[in-house]
Amino acid sequence: MTNHAPLMEMAAAARAAILDPSRITLVGEQANPRFELFHAASSLCSQKVRTVLFEKRLSYRSSEMLILGSMGRDGVIPAEHYSPAYIRLRLIAARDSGRQYVNGYSGRTSVETEGFDPCVVPLLVDYETGRVVADSRQICGYLDAVSLQPIQLVPDDPDTRSEVMHQVDIVDRIPNGALLYGFHPDADFRPGPLKLSMETVYDIKIMALEQLIAANAGEPELVAAYRAKIVKESAGRKLRHDPAFQRAARDRLGELLQDLERDLAAKSFSCLNGNAFSLADAFWGVNLVRLNYLGLSSMWRALAHVQRYFEALARRPSLCKEVIQASVNSMPPSTYMNAISECPAGVAA
């Protein structure tokens, strides 16, 4: 029998970085679940994974981390997912992925195109197999393969599967980081408190990482991980007020929404067209809710199919709980969420 005790000890150490024990909970009916998810309520990528866990009705230990650092009386307080114990756990997934660390900033979060970010959430631990899986796209596919019941999110039919994963790839490459952190020069609709925090977020991140490098100088792997993160965050800091970069990100989003309108009209995928709810629907649902939160739903106001798709997905219990309600409860209030913030009957907020 495989001994997973070392992995359990590493996960327990990572969990110890969570200062508030109330953010460590069990989801589902199992007292000792197979899975543990390190995540954040507001994290877009975490929301994708939680949506899949909800749809699959899988039990798991929820270890919710604070992913924004702050300034205290004695200096910077690093975000919980920067803790050395969590990074050590994440480095297991980094080695398994075989990918190079992220070395720049594009505003996207896709591991496929950007490289492996060693200092982010989510992270899944599978205590049955001893696997540690990073990257929301990989985690969601992994969870869907665990069991085909009660729902299969990635179809077996080759053509349908290809279209579903094509849409997943599109969503995975939306410049979400640029849209959340960046200051658009013409029309910045983000909530005021969010914009205020984004003025200093990169400085706090970089100070925290430099502090952690100094404190862990004897662990070359940790230092390399923190240095890679500094490269990414330093590049993001330079581009957050760059008008050309921000306009390009918004323009790219507009193109992708036009493509989505075309694909929905062609009935090539989506639960709107008589198809089963799929991973593509889950990913688009998470992203459309985030875009709505940022005040960007006007970008699909003239796209009738996208509007209908958004309205249908916002009523899906998994998306309502793990995305809409999670965003409302963990992020600065956005008036754009008012119209979709009510959960269907029977869905816990």
Side-chain angles (χ1 to χ4, degrees):
M1 186 175 186
T2 305
N3 179 17
H4 296 316
L7 177 60
M8 297 178 71
E9 291 173 3
M10 290 183 71
R15 200 181 308 131
I18 300 172
L19 298 181
D20 183 355
S22 70
R23 287 190 273 111
I24 304 170
T25 59
L26 294 177
V27 178
E29 300 177 353
Q30 296 180 6
N32 294 293
R34 170 179 174 177
F35 301 107
E36 179 165 5
L37 180 68
F38 291 87
H39 67 106
S42 62
S43 156
L44 185 78
C45 292
S46 297
Q47 290 173 358
K48 293 175 184 177
V49 175
R50 295 199 310 269
T51 297
V52 168
L53 285 163
F54 186 107
E55 291 286 345
K56 303 291 287 187
R57 299 180 191 171
L58 291 169
S59 297
Y60 64 100
R61 184 186 300 277
S62 167
S63 294
E64 181 188 340
M65 311 189 93
L66 295 182
I67 57 172
L68 287 180
S70 59
M71 294 301 298
R73 288 194 304 178
D74 299 323
V76 66
I77 302 172
E80 291 173 346
H81 71 315
Y82 284 5
S83 73
Y86 174 73
I87 303 304
R88 292 186 192 104
L89 188 62
R90 192 165 173 85
L91 289 178
I92 297 175
R95 289 189 285 270
D96 288 345
S97 76
R99 295 189 179 277
Q100 298 295 316
Y101 285 156
V102 62
N103 61 3
Y105 181 84
S106 69
R108 299 187 298 267
T109 58
S110 171
V111 172
E112 297 287 331
T113 61
E114 311 310 305
F116 190 94
D117 187 331
C119 306
V120 292
V121 291
L123 186 73
L124 182 80
V125 180
D126 183 344
Y127 292 110
E128 185 173 300
T129 64
R131 290 283 307 279
V132 181
V133 188
D135 177 52
S136 58
R137 187 181 185 279
Q138 295 299 319
I139 295 172
C140 290
Y142 184 89
L143 291 171
D144 191 52
V146 167
S147 171
L148 303 184
Q149 300 297 327
I151 188 173
Q152 184 175 357
L153 298 172
V154 180
D156 288 327
D157 175 73
D159 291 340
T160 310
R161 181 188 185 94
S162 177
E163 181 57 31
V164 165
M165 296 314 296
H166 172 64
Q167 296 294 330
V168 168
D169 287 341
I170 290 172
V171 178
D172 207 35
R173 288 166 169 78
I174 292 174
N176 289 299
L179 298 169
L180 177 65
Y181 287 89
F183 291 78
H184 196 277
D186 309 314
D188 191 339
F189 305 116
R190 296 174 303 165
L194 180 65
K195 287 189 276 191
L196 185 63
S197 69
M198 292 307 171
E199 286 287 6
T200 58
V201 65
Y202 285 110
D203 300 300
I204 292 174
K205 285 183 177 186
I206 292 167
M207 283 190 288
L209 292 162
E210 289 173 342
Q211 176 178 297
L212 287 161
I213 287 173
N216 295 277
E219 289 193 58
E221 275 198 309
L222 278 182
V223 170
Y226 290 135
R227 289 198 185 284
K229 186 66 169 175
I230 287 178
V231 169
K232 176 183 177 180
E233 301 304 336
S234 297
R237 179 171 59 180
K238 291 178 182 177
L239 291 169
R240 62 181 165 169
H241 283 291
D242 184 303
F245 180 83
Q246 297 302 327
R247 289 190 181 109
R250 188 79 64 87
D251 289 346
R252 180 57 181 152
L253 172 61
E255 293 169 358
L256 294 176
L257 290 171
Q258 291 284 351
D259 291 345
L260 176 60
E261 176 75 1
R262 178 203 62 210
D263 293 341
L264 291 170
K267 300 184 177 180
S268 59
F269 87 105
S270 98
C271 55
L272 280 183
N273 300 322
N275 301 308
F277 185 84
S278 72
L279 191 60
D281 297 313
F283 272 44
W284 269 118
V286 172
N287 239 98
L288 291 173
V289 170
R290 172 56 58 87
L291 295 173
N292 178 75
Y293 170 86
L294 297 173
L296 298 177
S297 58
S298 59
M299 295 184 69
W300 64 76
R301 191 168 295 148
L303 305 177
H305 294 286
V306 178
Q307 178 63 32
R308 190 162 65 94
Y309 191 40
F310 169 63
E311 291 171 354
L313 292 172
R315 294 191 295 270
R316 185 85 179 180
S318 59
L319 291 162
C320 185
K321 181 177 186 294
E322 301 299 349
V323 187
I324 296 173
Q325 287 298 321
S327 298
V328 168
N329 293 337
S330 65
M331 301 178 76
S334 168
T335 57
Y336 299 100
M337 298 292 285
N338 293 344
I340 62 167
S341 60
E342 292 298 323
C343 281
V347 178

